[in-house]
Amino acid sequence: VKPAKKIANGIMLAIFAVSFGGSTIDLVWHGFQFPNWLNFRYSFIFTFLIVLIAAEAFINIKSISGDKITAVVIVFMLLCAFVQKLEYDKIHMLACIWTAIGMGVLCLIGIGVYRSGRRGGALVLLCLTVVELYANGVASEYMMHNDVGFSKHSLYADFAEKYRPAAEYMKENDPGLYRSENYKIRKVNDNYTIGLNGISGSTSTLNKNVIDYLSDMGYSSRSHHSNYTGGTPVGDSLLGIKYLLGDFATNADPAYDEIWTDEENKTKLYENPYALSIAYTVADDFELFDATAANSPFELMNRMCAEMLGRERVELFSANKYDANLENVSQSSSNGMRKYTKNKDTGARISFVITAESDGVMYAYFPVTNGYRRDISIKYNDTTVKKYLTSDNHGILCLGNYKRGEIAYLTVTLDEDNVYFDPANYFYTLDSKVLDSVMGDLKKGDASLNVNYSDTNFSGSVNADNGRNTLMLSMPYDENIAVYVNSKRVDTFEVAGIFTGVRIEDGVNEFEVKYIPKQFYFGLLAALAGVIVLLSYKLLQMRACSPNQPCVADESIAEEQEGESI
């Protein structure tokens, strides 16, 4: 290998080493987007470069002195010992260090056999490589399964086969642009399998503000993912969730209409009659709305609707009175939270007796600050929810329809010694008459979206009146979103700390929304530059080759074939 090439490879490896050690450069590699969990996702390029260098060295293996090969293996072992000394949690002594050292020794022996010219030397190295690749791959899959979990293909395929007909029926009968969800949660990304566009999904780009906002609204949303657990007619309508899928065992919200049944797959399709589109008008002051000021999702949604309409107060959800009976549990305060402590290992529970203050559907939600999540089980009616606070079950619970004065029961069982709840009222009832009125008023500013849309744009028309001159898109704010009102591009701004908005004039306004991130153009330029460099290199290489003068790669192969064992 020529010295110039060695220097170039060394510089490339050094660039990656510096990138791994600097947070700013690491951010550049990730497209100026903070990654979630798995940092250094570009490290596969580093691995590819190492493999490429090793392959080139192996082509010339017979021309490399045995002392140099032995020195490389010794340095490798010393590196393994150094890594072990750092005591990383994920690097185990036997599984990683000793295995790596053992493979290094075996490879050294295999290279010696191959260089000696003995029969089967290449086969020995091939077998070692295949065994190492297979074992490493299997070990990686097992570790990944323990971390994030894999499911059987049959479960995935059966789920898709069961719910896809309902999704197809929905899209055939309503080809417009809206959000849809599934009551049945198997994995958070299953919506993409059956073609639903909703709020469920996992993200690697750490969209923390979106995840936190959904959690504040009572949906199961934390860390790096969200799913449709905790939906209510109010939250669903504000986010434009128009249709919901379920099976025959689904306890759909009483406010939703059952519009289709699939007897063969035992699935149902529900419609939310209050759902707004993903674009509707709100009062201008809603731009400054602060979602963090509410101590429960019910109060948050009350305030959201009030300020969207420019009113002081809207009481969609009203708090219910309740009694909490502690059994083998003591209550205290800790860091501003309610702390419940087990007095016995078994039978530690809190029994809530709730009195409905009005007619309507009753809901429950137990807020908790991140870092204080503990395992509890909740039982109400004939439903048991395990690991409520620590799993994807942490969302608003629908307890059912109750008349004023009726009693509801809910039991919380402590599965850990200490459990914490944020101070709030946990039980609210949704007033259906107020829901009809409020959603009816919001629908007066609802946009009519055109059926023809694509992944990068949609359009429609909206009528602005009653002082609601902010057209709000229930889409996370992004400076790359371009909005055209009456054929003129207008400035966008962030609404309520999360949504996208533009100002519009009174009367009917035609609008179009386009989205192409500027990073797309940077990537396109980088890709074109790469193609140009590659083509230029190949053209120069072709000009340097002739029948009497072989190419550089051919010279290397020829030299390797003529080389002698050392």
Side-chain angles (χ1 to χ4, degrees), residues 16 71 285 288 317 453 460 499 503 533 544 547 556:
F16 278 105
D285 289 343
L288 304 177
F317 295 98
Y453 65 90
F499 302 115
R503 296 279 189 252
V533 170
S556 299

Side-chain angles (χ1 to χ4, degrees), residues 281 444-445 463-469 505-507:
T281 61
K444 293 177 182 177
N463 184 30
D465 60 5
N466 298 323
R468 289 156 55 185
N469 292 95
E505 298 178 352
D506 286 341

Side-chain angles (χ1 to χ4, degrees), residues 11 34 60 64 115 140-141 166 172 187 219 226 235 276-277 283 300 366 369 424 452 518 530 538:
I11 292 174
F34 286 105
N60 301 281
I64 302 174
R115 283 161 48 84
S140 296
E141 290 299 306
E172 287 174 3
K187 296 292 182 182
Y219 294 99
S226 58
L276 299 165
S277 74
L300 170 62
F366 295 88
T369 302
N452 297 323
K518 59 185 179 182
K538 293 303 294 182

Side-chain angles (χ1 to χ4, degrees), residues 24 97 104 113 248 290 369 389 423 434 445 448 478 495 511 540:
T24 302
I97 304 301
V113 174
F248 281 8
D290 181 11
T369 302
L389 296 178
V434 178
S448 175
D478 189 320
V495 176
F511 68 90
L540 291 173

Side-chain angles (χ1 to χ4, degrees), residues 7-79:
I7 294 173
N9 288 335
I11 292 174
M12 286 296 296
L13 295 177
I15 291 174
F16 278 105
V18 172
S19 299
F20 295 148
S23 59
T24 302
I25 302 177
D26 179 57
L27 184 64
V28 174
W29 278 102
H30 285 95
F32 300 96
Q33 172 70 58
F34 286 105
N36 178 59
W37 281 1
L38 304 177
N39 298 320
F40 317 118
R41 297 186 179 216
Y42 54 90
S43 60
F44 69 90
I45 307 176
F46 175 81
T47 304
F48 174 76
L49 184 59
I50 290 290
V51 172
L52 197 64
I53 294 171
E56 189 168 8
F58 187 77
I59 291 175
N60 301 281
I61 194 70
K62 291 186 178 181
S63 63
I64 302 174
S65 69
D67 292 341
K68 290 183 178 179
I69 296 174
T70 304
V72 169
V73 175
I74 292 174
V75 170
F76 171 74
M77 292 180 179
L78 291 174
L79 179 62

Side-chain angles (χ1 to χ4, degrees), residues 75-233:
V75 170
F76 171 74
M77 292 180 179
L78 291 174
L79 179 62
C80 289
F82 174 73
V83 171
Q84 189 275 331
K85 197 69 177 177
L86 296 176
E87 298 182 349
Y88 289 113
D89 293 336
K90 298 294 184 179
I91 298 181
H92 304 288
M93 186 67 180
L94 177 61
C96 298
I97 304 301
W98 286 115
T99 300
I101 292 175
M103 288 302 298
V105 172
L106 290 175
C107 285
L108 182 61
I109 296 172
I111 290 173
V113 174
Y114 175 73
R115 283 161 48 84
S116 68
R118 296 178 186 174
R119 188 176 180 181
L123 182 61
V124 170
L125 282 177
L126 177 62
C127 290
L128 285 172
T129 303
V130 170
V131 169
E132 192 276 335
L133 286 172
Y134 182 77
N136 207 345
V138 170
S140 296
E141 290 299 306
Y142 270 100
M143 288 188 288
M144 189 174 294
H145 173 67
N146 292 332
D147 187 21
V148 298
F150 293 128
S151 63
K152 294 181 179 179
H153 175 266
S154 58
L155 297 177
Y156 166 83
D158 291 347
F159 178 89
E161 184 178 348
K162 179 176 181 176
Y163 288 98
R164 189 171 283 126
E168 291 175 348
Y169 174 88
M170 174 189 73
K171 287 182 283 188
E172 287 174 3
N173 288 271
D174 189 348
L177 181 61
Y178 48 81
R179 289 190 175 96
S180 51
E181 270 295 344
N182 195 338
Y183 277 112
K184 179 65 176 179
I185 305 297
R186 193 192 70 93
K187 296 292 182 182
V188 294
N189 288 328
D190 280 340
N191 272 4
Y192 308 130
T193 303
I194 56 179
L196 300 183
N197 299 315
I199 62 172
S200 299
S202 175
T203 172
S204 296
T205 53
L206 200 60
N207 299 315
K208 188 176 185 302
N209 61 331
V210 178
I211 292 170
D212 289 347
Y213 215 100
L214 289 174
S215 177
D216 291 340
M217 292 182 70
Y219 294 99
S220 176
S221 180
R222 62 191 180 97
S223 183
H224 63 97
H225 64 275
S226 58
N227 65 57
Y228 186 76
T229 296
T232 65

